[in-house]
Amino acid sequence: MAAAARSSGGMSDQLFVSIKLECPRLAEMGLVPHVFGSHPVAGAWDPSKALLMEQEEAALWGLSCIVPSHRETLDFKFLLKPKDNSSHCIVEEGPDRSLVCGSNEVEIRNALFKFNDETGVVECKIFVETEILSPFDLAASWKAHQEHLQPRVRGAHDVIMNADSESRAKNGFASGLELDLEKYVVPTPNMGSDVVYAANLTENPRSLLTTGISSNNDTTKGFLHNSIKGDASPNLYASENKGADGRHVPPQEEQRAIFVDRGVGSPEFARPTNETISMSNIKFDSEAKDMPAAEGAVAAAAVADQMYGPKEDRKLAIVLVGLPARGKTFTAAKLTRYLRWLGHETKHFNVGKYRRLKHGINQTSLSASNSVEQTADFFRGDNKEGVEARNEVAALAMEDMLSWMQEGGQVGIFDATNSTRNRRNMLMKMAEGKCKSPKLIIVPIMNINRKRRTYKAYSCTIIFLETICNDQNVLERNMRLKVQRSPDYAEQTDFEAGVRDFKERLAYYEKVYEPVEEGSYVKMIDMVSGTGGQLQINDISGYLPGRIVFFLIWTSTLQRSILTAQPIIGFPKIQWRALDEINAGICDGMTYDEIKKIKPEEYESRSKDKLRYRYPRGESYLDVIQRLEPVIIELERQRAPVVVISHQIPLHTIIEIQMGVAGVQEKRYKLMDAVNSTAGI
Ligand SMILES: Nc1ncnc2c1ncn2[C@@H]1O[C@H](COP(=O)(O)OP(=O)(O)O)[C@@H](O)[C@H]1O
Ligand SMILES: O=P(O)(O)OC[C@H]1O[C@@](CO)(OP(=O)(O)O)[C@@H](O)[C@@H]1O
């Protein structure tokens, strides 16, 4: 019942790069080395977005990253910035340095920095170490991280590379403006210095700023306007068109950051041991241990492929769905980082943030009672005012997201519960309004020749990403975390009362919750419950880029194929509806003999043309072939072994299909009689 496909290529390999710079003089001169380069993640030659190298010893700085294999070359240079004035910089002399992806040969030469004063030239030693990593190395690294093992291969610490890492280091937060926003606008409960409420780091509601919609927190409004003018964060909205050396720098609305996620892509990677990598090994005991980095990658994989084709022409709206405390914001944040890392303009819009800015953190004004403990009331499905208010802020956020996409943004991530069909319909309609047709966004451009407006169309796809969690222990813990961290409960001094209120809110949501059954969707089910987790994918063609390591087992959605996959631990399993057995319609559950007896005319038609015969209310083999197309295309693209567990394969048989330049080789392994046969097809 199983077929394994293996391909000979190594295109999913990634290049691990570790750069070190040694120079005893820099520290005493108060200078900090940075790296900047051609790729947006290295600042796109914009010195203000250069990546900070971390000081590892008194005279040694380091930076590590993973470069995806599809990037052909990465040109870069070193530059020095004074510790206390990051706007001045000294770029190294000489030609650009080049890293050729797919090759681990790098030219090593010292870096020379020329000063116009008596300092003269400062020379720094450079060490560059590269290594091509297979998906398995990365997966093992991820696993090692999850288990909090000490690095087995490299000694360097994990990297979080962030264009604004200096201010991050100073503030402990990713962005000056957003830090200030949280500090001054919405009170946040004391979560410990290193914990940031993820929703706070999402997009700032521009519709609420520009339309003058008032907040019941006056400080908010005033502060926001000041911030935009530049008082709070001079860097965030400043745009520069030229780098220090005159190179063109693409305009950027916000700081670009790449996170080489801890674990996945961490320099602390570990070689695979004989152990298997299992989602079920994920520990889930404290937030400090963080949640699996995998989901972000998993979900990203499922959507990243939507980005294939000319990048500037493709738009993707990812709409999160799920009850509160299911990890939506967490997943959206990971997805945002991951897609940005892949090079896609991505923004995360959190409706909770909009709600808090518009209505404040205490919704009692819209609820029946004035007690703080009644705030859950705002979320009651039959609280007309509450529902309207929530829809209103959701519409504002969607409006902002669609406008940003029209202006050039590529992936918008819309983070709210979106727990009813009505709400999702509203969002789809809004998107269609902008798109004119579900797949198209129309933007006017001037056609000078004809002196009239024509329209340039580009496609926009909506994908629902639903997070489902049935594990009561996980939920209990998540709920307490939400109360501890959400600004909604910042003013609630009685923690247990906050938990009760949040549970009440959840119960209201549960009453009206309608899981997604419509459109294109990815369902992430129990990803953190310790059972391995499952993904359900519907109507997403060509998903799963080869470089993603977490998708290695594919099953249909039917019990028997899921059960067959169960003993295979080590990889999350993905259910594809496209792999389901033929739908036999009214004949479902009957044997051929029974069909012959009960439905002789059907039996007769089927015998005449098995390929085209379609069961009443069911499918024909031609239909099945058609729905299998995306699976086949995806298989072709995979560069790591994939196990497909599906139907109509001889019992107790594994078919290994090797795709190579010389054609396709098929091997059959009979599990019961150990006789193997080989055939070319
Ligand atoms: N897939 C998941 N299933 C369940 N819990 C998760 C998942 N991913 C992350 N979490 C945990 O859920 C907690 C609440 O997450 P959050 O993203 O704020 O929830 P939501 O946005 O759904 O209200 C996080 O602190 C995280 O530890
Ligand atoms: O309007 P819906 O779809 O319920 O979603 C947004 C709401 O989700 C909530 C539900 O608790 O999420 P969040 O945790 O992101 O703050 C509310 O804050 C927010 O107002």
Side-chain angles (χ1 to χ4, degrees), residues 252-264:
Q252 296 205 323
E253 252 190 292
E254 53 154 11
Q255 64 168 19
R256 284 260 208 168
I258 64 165
F259 286 78
V260 175
D261 227 324
R262 290 172 62 89
V264 181

Side-chain angles (χ1 to χ4, degrees), residues 287 291 295 323-330 478 481-482 528:
E287 186 67 5
M291 294 292 297
E295 293 108 277
L323 290 165
R326 262 52 180 186
K328 296 183 298 299
T329 300
F330 178 94
N478 284 358
L481 274 171
K482 294 273 312 185
V528 296

